[in-house]
Amino acid sequence: MNVDVFQTLADPTRRRIVEALKGGELAVNDLVARVDIQQSGVSRHLGILQEAGFVQVRPEGTKRLYSLRPEPFQELDAWVTGYRSLWEARLDRFGQALEQRRKTRMGTPKPEEEPP
Amino acid sequence: MNVDVFQTLADPTRRRIVEALKGGELAVNDLVARVDIQQSGVSRHLGILQEAGFVQVRPEGTKRLYSLRPEPFQELDAWVTGYRSLWEARLDRFGQALEQRRKTRMGTPKPEEEPP
DNA sequence: CGTCAACATTCATGGACGTGTATATACATA
DNA sequence: TATGTATATACACGTCCATGAATGTTGACG
C-alpha cells in the first residue's frame, strides 16, 4: 500500500486490467487474453496493483483469482472531491436540481455567470 | 489535451503544483517557491499540465498567471464513478435522494453507516 | 514420482521522463 | 537602446520502469 494511486494507474495496461476486473474476479490467464502483453508482464502488473491495494487474490486450485478492492478508488474519490468546487461551487449553494441541467453547458471555460 | 489524466498526475511535483493552484491563480515564481525544483522544471511541468488541460494561462505584464480548469477533474470523477459501486452498491440501489443529502456534510466524508 | 498447467520471479534491455545547467524570448522601465 | 525581471526552451544526463525471454515454484492428476 506504499505506492501512490496515481502512479499505479498511470500505466495503461494496468488500467486495462482494472477495467477488466470491474466485471468480477478473473484468473491471470483470463487477463492475459484481454491485454496484449506477455503473461509475466501481467503477473508483474498484478503484483504492483496488489501492493497498491487495488486487487486481492484468492487461490483456487492452481489458479489465482484476482478481484478489485474499494480502498484506492475511495482515496481517489476523496482526492477529486477536493477539486469539485471547480465546477460545482455555485451550484452547491444553489440546489441539486440544477446540477443535472449542468450537462447542457459542460464545456464552459468561464466559471463566472450570474443567474438573476 | 492528448496526454491522459493519470499519467499527468503521476508525478508528485505536478500534483503539488495542482494543489497549490487550488487556492487560485499563481505566477510561475510563486510555484517555484512552493516546489523544491528549479524554475525550468516548473515551467516544463506547467506545459505538461496545460497540454493535459489541467491549467490555463493568463499573461499579466511580464508574469504569467496559471489557474486550474475543471475538465480533467470532471473526467477523473467520471472514471471513479464507474467504480463507485465497489463501496456504494447498497446505497446506489437506495436512491439518489440520499446521495444528494450527503453534500450537507461535504468536508467530513465518513461513508460508513450500517443499514439493518 | 513424473508431468503438465498456472502463475511468479529473475535478468537484461530499450525507451520514456524528470531534473539541472545554460540559453533564449518577452516584457517593463530607465 | 540598454538592463533587469519573468518565463520558456534546448541540451545532456541519470534513473526509473515496462517489456520479453528464460527460469523457478506450486498445485493437480496419472
Side-chain angles (χ1 to χ4, degrees):
Chain A
M1 270 263 236
N2 39 3
V3 199
D4 70 294
V5 181
F6 295 103
Q7 198 125 1
T8 305
L9 291 174
D11 186 72
T13 304
R14 232 131 52 200
R15 283 204 301 273
R16 290 190 60 182
I17 292 178
V18 166
E19 299 190 11
L21 290 175
K22 206 197 284 193
E25 60 181 9
L26 287 177
V28 180
N29 274 345
D30 303 336
L31 292 167
V32 172
R34 314 192 185 202
V35 179
D36 52 346
I37 67 172
Q38 216 75 7
Q39 174 262 326
S40 63
V42 175
S43 279
R44 258 191 318 261
H45 281 308
L46 286 170
I48 295 175
L49 286 169
Q50 185 178 14
E51 201 170 357
F54 277 88
V55 299
Q56 60 191 157
V57 206
R58 179 173 73 89
E60 190 177 72
T62 171
K63 300 191 172 186
R64 301 177 55 106
L65 300 175
Y66 284 84
S67 55
L68 294 179
R69 284 166 51 91
E71 285 85 352
F73 299 95
Q74 289 181 275
E75 185 181 340
L76 196 63
D77 183 58
W79 189 88
V80 73
T81 296
Y83 295 88
R84 221 161 253 157
S85 60
L86 285 177
W87 73 91
E88 276 185 354
R90 187 172 311 258
L91 286 168
D92 259 5
R93 230 184 25 188
F94 217 70
Q96 275 77 0
L98 276 179
E99 185 186 13
Q100 295 188 350
R101 304 190 198 279
R102 155 180 68 101
K103 313 206 168 190
T104 41
R105 300 252 315 152
M106 209 156 97
T108 324
K110 263 311 191 206
E112 278 309 317
E113 40 184 22
E114 206 53 54
Chain B
M1 268 266 236
N2 39 0
V3 199
D4 70 294
V5 180
F6 295 102
Q7 196 126 1
T8 305
L9 291 174
D11 185 72
T13 304
R14 232 131 52 200
R15 283 202 302 272
R16 291 190 60 182
I17 291 178
V18 166
E19 299 190 11
L21 290 175
K22 206 197 283 192
E25 60 181 8
L26 287 177
V28 181
N29 273 345
D30 302 337
L31 292 167
V32 173
R34 313 188 186 206
V35 179
D36 53 346
I37 66 170
Q38 218 73 8
Q39 174 263 324
S40 62
V42 175
S43 279
R44 261 190 314 261
H45 281 307
L46 285 170
I48 294 173
L49 286 169
Q50 185 178 15
E51 201 170 355
F54 277 89
V55 299
Q56 61 191 158
V57 206
R58 179 173 72 88
E60 191 177 71
T62 170
K63 301 192 171 182
R64 300 178 56 108
L65 300 176
Y66 284 84
S67 55
L68 293 180
R69 285 166 53 92
E71 284 84 353
F73 300 94
Q74 289 181 273
E75 185 181 340
L76 197 63
D77 185 58
W79 189 87
V80 73
T81 295
Y83 296 88
R84 219 161 254 156
S85 60
L86 287 177
W87 75 93
E88 274 186 353
R90 187 172 314 254
L91 285 168
D92 260 4
R93 230 184 26 191
F94 220 69
Q96 275 78 1
L98 275 180
E99 186 185 12
Q100 294 185 354
R101 300 196 199 282
R102 160 177 66 100
K103 310 203 169 186
T104 40
R105 297 267 312 156
M106 206 154 106
T108 343
K110 201 54 181 172
E112 277 310 317
E113 38 187 20
E114 207 52 55

